[in-house]
Amino acid sequence: MTQMFYRLFRPKQYNLKDEVLSGLTVALALVPEAVAFSIIAGVSPLVGLYTAFIIGLVTSILGGRPGMISGATGAVAVIVVALVINHGIEYLFAAAVLMGLIQIVVGLLKLGKLIRLVPHPVIFGFVNGLAIIIFMSQFSQFKEINASGTLVWISGSKLYVMLGLVLLTMFIIKFLPKLTKAVPSSLTAILVISVIVIFGGVDTKNVGDIASIKGSLPQFHIPMIPFTWETLLIIFPYSAIMAGVGLIESLLSLTLIDEITETRGHGNKECVAQGIGNVATGFFGGMGGCAMLGQSLINVNAGGRSRISSGLAAVTLLLFILFFSEYIEMVPMAALVGLMFMVAIGTFEWASLKVFGKVPKPDMLVMVLVTLITVILHNLALAVLVGVIVSALVYSWENSKRIRARKRVDENGVKHYEMYGPLFFASATTFSEKFDPINDPDEIIIDFRESRVVDHSGIEAINKVTERYDKLGKTVYIRHLTNSSKILLENAKKIINVNYADDDPSYKVVLEKN
């Protein structure tokens, strides 16, 4: 066991100092996020903090992407609001357990590779939408409750102080690395702003003004719900959506961190780790979560590359809750807002703005559509799903127009249709329109040397063409099908009858007679 943990956490080529400091930075950034997402979900701030600790620790040990940070997220929080309001927090804990079980099944079935089906414009749209959400979510820190109990924007000196501290934080994070990289610029900025505010007596909002983070160790707790079919029907829809959102955000974050670090994570392993983490959070009073792109970028940019940084971030968060809540609550929100602003700026794919007018219009449409759905609905799963569907429809439409036929009559009076382009559901109608059974000779050859039959619709299209010729007493021959197309036709003998001719690879397709 000792050797296993050593292999998991040994620094390898990574810098231990950077791992430790980046872990501390991430732990500080996790606090306001976990508290805010708990409030969104309508639960105690400790629920979000426990979630960040548990799933963060589990995924740091078992996850498929060393250095990636997981915790309570807004994408999951907005899903469970209705569940908490209508049925109570115990149902939320049960939904988190079921969410984790679904994710474990997805990982064991090795379905994580389906993330490869997400086109690049969809990833651009997802990242840009998430960056905008991170940026806009910080605006709530510029509001306060007035004497009448109404939430209003701060103004006057409070606003100027807040803006000044935020800008100073961003300035330090941006330019300190040009002077030294001995310590993470994000952690330095937080410490500098905290010193200015605490010892300078500056009146500004701090973490403690949002909520207290003091608590005890999370306790094992079986959700107190009736274990009935009706209960399952209540929580399953929420759990399924939570699992889908969590895996999409986690696997896309994994892909992006892979690109940044030029390494390769393991998607299916991450699915299982996320599942185990969510099962654990459900049994220890958590709300369920997933990978956090913003905090993961903070970790990577601060030098975190191994499981040390992500594991330390989770453990440090628990220490904050148990022993150092009084000090963490003194950290000014301006420092954390400035940090998240820089994360949002760094997350946004500015290169995507340069491709407008240089890439196909459908790709630009998909990218903008995914971004808008992400920002407006805060539903990452729906945004990615819509993007994939639209991309698939565009691809099908474009390929449907590629089916062509070169026509010629040989010296024997046989007419040849030399097809090129894929024959599938979208191109089946166009394929059928290429033929002229009434005016064609008694024998025709359809040559698939430059084409292939892709699906059942393609088989049915061939069947309809052969049927039209057969009614006129004419014969159709098929040539040069690919092996995969031959298999499709062989498996469809109940629809059409394939007879191989002596001069293989040509073979005859005729209708079965009753």
Side-chain angles (χ1 to χ4, degrees), residues 125 155 213 225 233 235 271 283 325 389 404 451 459 482 489:
S155 58
I213 67 168
I225 58 171
L233 292 179
I235 66 173
C271 291
F283 283 122
S325 59
I389 291 175
R404 295 287 187 274
S451 179
I459 296 173
T482 63
L489 290 178

Side-chain angles (χ1 to χ4, degrees), residues 495-514:
I495 301 174
I496 57 179
N497 186 27
V498 178
N499 295 313
Y500 292 93
D502 293 334
D503 57 339
D504 190 71
S506 301
Y507 38 97
K508 184 178 179 181
V509 180
V510 297
L511 287 174
E512 283 190 332
K513 298 292 182 70
N514 293 327

